[in-house]
Amino acid sequence: MRLSVYFLPTLKETPAEAQIVSHRLMLRAGMIHQEAAGIYSWLPLGLRVLRKVERLVREEQDAAGAQELLMPTIQPAELWRESGRYDAYGKEMLRIRDRHDREMLFGPTNEEMVTAIFRSYVKSYRDLPRNLYHIQWKFRDEVRPRFGVMRGREFLMKDAYSFDVDPEGARRSYEAMYLAYLKTFQRMGLTAVPVKAESGAIGGDMSQEFQILAETGESTVFYDAAFEEMTKDGAQPDVAALRKLYAAAEEKHDPANCPVPPDRLRTAKGIEVGHIFYFGTKYSKSMNLVVTGPKGEEIFPEMGSYGIGVSRLVGAVIEASHDEAGIIWPEPVAPFKVGLINLKSGDAKCDAVCDDLYARLSAAKVEVLYDDRDLRAGPKFADMDLIGLPWQVIAGPKGVAAGVVELKNRRTGERSEMSVESVMARLVEGN
Ligand code: ATP
Ligand code: MG
């Protein structure tokens, strides 16, 4: 993509309404545009990141055996009356009437709908287990929408729902999602700590929130230092071992009875990016989802639900990865891999080298944003640092005359001069 024609409205000034760094940077980098409190348009650069996060989440869900479907955003109130949640959900639910005065709602979550779908088709234990998920916009009329996409009213969520014959099966489904979540966040370059959450009706250890560690997190978490080691990039997560480690939110943490010795206990701020939850037969019973067992008996499937805040993750990644100059994208979710800066657009030699690099990188399927604008070097550098692409290739008249360009790593700031051929080899490698 050429920056001279790209819709990338970057801002120099820090928008006054943004209280946290990810919100500020998303506005300044031209990623989102606010339409109403907690409701955003995703501009081209932001949408590229959102799609990458979505794709990564999808890959790990598929790898774990979950199957994607797509349920609508609008739901009939009738479904929610069946489960008893229509009244219970309260003011967070956006309620709508259609032209025939039928009560509808913008879905805040999909337990009822997926249960009703399952009920329409599945009659035998032989058709279990199944895990169905979708990635769809949700609406929750939050009391205090804030922090940009971190606590929006309309937001993108991946929500999966598992159906099993018995509690042991439900535990397997739960642990498969637990592992998929660890891998998903690990691939995004994030440390996610699974913290025990409110378990609702059932209790036990089958409700956990995944907290990304970042200074601006809304909650405080306490955890065993071993988590960092065992979930770091490249480590193969050992679910059984990880499940034994201590991690608790502030409200649940009792310093007097903490099993972790002080030298191994870590505390940090966390952002909840995912929640996995086993709730047993709550919906199968209330909505009468019954399957026939091996002896002809009636079974209410054991269910769980598993959410990931896809749009929240875009902000969470920025909270965990930025500096004074702007965003630092981990490569797997970066909007482009490379920013190519022509320091003297209009100069025949610089243009020739840059145009050639741009064409060759594009042909090699390396995603590249080419700053070919007729601008001074200062604003070009500032914009490129702000939008945080992992690599920058900088070409100026001096270097070009000597047959070299500069390759800069956005995270480390490391720069090295090299030939166009070497740059090509470095950027195409591992693409
Ligand atoms: P929170 O405590 O932050 O309100 P929740 O418990 O209501 O979250 P879930 O119902 O478990 O959230 O939803 C699954 C995931 O969706 C959460 O882990 C979070 O990442 C994301 N999410 C929830 N509410 C919002 C929101 N208002 N804006 C963006 N993402 C959200
Ligand atoms: Mg909530």
Side-chain angles (χ1 to χ4, degrees):
M1 178 60 63
R2 284 176 183 267
L3 205 34
S4 59
V5 296
Y6 197 40
F7 188 78
L8 181 68
T10 56
L11 308 173
K12 265 205 231 51
E13 269 77 52
T14 299
E17 75 272 24
Q19 299 166 32
I20 62 168
V21 68
S22 60
H23 189 195
R24 281 199 291 274
L25 289 173
M26 287 182 79
L27 291 170
R28 285 194 50 214
M31 293 177 66
I32 50 171
H33 179 258
Q34 185 174 336
E35 306 303 344
I39 302 178
Y40 293 88
S41 291
W42 290 77
L43 304 183
L45 191 81
L47 183 61
R48 286 180 79 99
V49 179
L50 186 68
R51 290 284 182 248
K52 293 228 164 142
V53 171
E54 187 180 333
R55 188 205 299 167
L56 223 144
V57 167
R58 177 178 289 117
E59 281 173 13
E60 293 300 333
Q61 291 294 296
D62 291 346
Q67 299 173 41
E68 188 171 10
L69 77 172
L70 183 58
M71 293 177 267
T73 53
I74 306 295
Q75 307 186 16
E78 210 33 60
L79 271 180
W80 289 68
R81 290 220 164 83
E82 282 193 52
S83 72
R85 284 210 294 181
Y86 189 64
D87 295 323
Y89 214 91
K91 287 193 159 184
E92 271 198 16
M93 180 183 277
L94 180 63
R95 296 156 207 260
I96 307 163
R97 276 176 195 273
D98 71 8
R99 67 198 296 162
H100 304 294
D101 219 27
R102 277 189 286 254
E103 290 173 287
M104 316 289 280
L105 58 102
F106 197 124
T109 179
N110 282 68
E111 282 82 1
E112 282 80 358
M113 189 172 279
V114 78
T115 302
I117 291 174
F118 219 71
R119 182 178 64 187
S120 305
Y121 303 106
V122 177
K123 307 291 175 204
S124 160
Y125 74 97
R126 287 193 196 86
D127 296 323
L128 299 176
R130 290 289 185 275
N131 184 331
L132 300 175
Y133 77 97
H134 72 161
I135 300 177
Q136 178 62 290
W137 294 91
K138 305 291 187 286
F139 195 95
R140 294 182 187 176
D141 207 348
E142 300 274 356
V143 194
R144 284 186 66 203
R146 57 188 175 147
F147 302 157
V149 300
M150 299 271 268
R151 185 165 298 284
R153 291 197 294 168
E154 191 183 43
F155 59 96
L156 189 60
M157 193 202 285
K158 183 285 299 179
D159 38 325
Y161 303 90
S162 64
F163 300 84
D164 279 272
V165 193
D166 51 29
E168 295 76 66
R171 174 170 289 275
R172 279 193 295 277
S173 296
Y174 182 91
E175 291 188 348
M177 283 293 111
Y178 180 102
L179 179 60
Y181 276 40
L182 286 174
K183 288 183 172 168
T184 303
F185 302 130
Q186 197 180 49
R187 281 181 67 191
M188 291 175 194
L190 299 169
T191 303
V193 176
V195 173
K196 245 187 214 125
E198 260 351 297
S199 40
I202 293 171
D205 63 344
M206 302 246 290
S207 172
Q208 285 166 295
E209 290 168 358
F210 285 76
Q211 301 274 353
I212 292 304
L213 305 181
E215 279 161 34
T216 45
E218 281 185 297
S219 41
T220 302
V221 297
F222 293 84
Y223 62 96
D224 192 322
F227 266 116
E228 288 167 3
E229 197 54 32
M230 289 170 68
T231 58
K232 72 169 186 235
D233 204 17
Q236 181 59 39
D238 177 346
V239 174
L242 281 164
R243 296 270 278 133
K244 293 199 188 86
L245 293 180
Y246 179 80
E250 196 166 25
E251 316 82 73
K252 294 267 176 81
H253 177 65
D254 174 6
N257 291 304
C258 178
V260 185
D263 62 316
R264 262 183 38 215
L265 186 67
R266 297 282 180 275
T267 171
K269 291 283 178 194
I271 300 167
E272 181 195 328
V273 290
H275 188 183
I276 57 178
F277 187 28
Y278 165 58
F279 47 74
T281 55
K282 180 174 175 192
Y283 296 94
S284 50
K285 281 200 174 132
S286 62
M287 296 182 67
N288 203 34
L289 162 63
V290 189
V291 301
T292 313
K295 301 189 192 84
E297 75 277 30
E298 290 196 330
I299 296 171
F300 292 108
E302 299 282 332
M303 294 174 59
S305 75
Y306 315 92
I308 289 184
V310 174
S311 48
R312 176 179 289 183
L313 265 169
V314 177
V317 169
I318 298 174
E319 290 294 329
S321 183
H322 65 271
D323 64 12
E324 289 295 294
I327 303 167
I328 304 175
W329 291 114
E331 217 162 294
V333 296
F336 297 89
K337 179 174 176 176
V338 186
L340 171 60
I341 303 177
N342 185 343
L343 286 181
K344 208 166 181 203
S345 302
D347 173 86
K349 287 199 181 110
C350 283
D351 287 356
V353 166
C354 288
D355 289 357
D356 174 59
L357 254 170
Y358 178 58
R360 288 169 64 193
L361 286 168
S362 305
K365 300 261 186 292
V366 176
E367 291 175 317
V368 49
L369 183 63
Y370 174 18
D371 194 347
D372 60 340
R373 294 173 301 175
D374 185 13
L375 267 185
R376 285 177 302 112
K380 287 193 174 186
F381 287 137
D383 272 349
M384 208 51 97
D385 280 350
L386 172 64
I387 67 170
L389 310 182
W391 297 98
Q392 295 176 14
V393 177
I394 303 153
K398 254 193 229 144
V400 163
V404 293
V405 294
E406 204 171 29
L407 181 67
K408 174 179 155 185
N409 181 304
R410 174 67 180 86
R411 187 176 295 281
T412 62
E414 202 182 316
R415 297 157 171 269
S416 38
E417 286 203 326
M418 50 178 87
S419 69
V420 169
E421 293 316 313
S422 312
V423 162
M424 273 304 295
R426 276 284 288 282
L427 295 175
V428 171
E429 168 194 317
N431 188 52

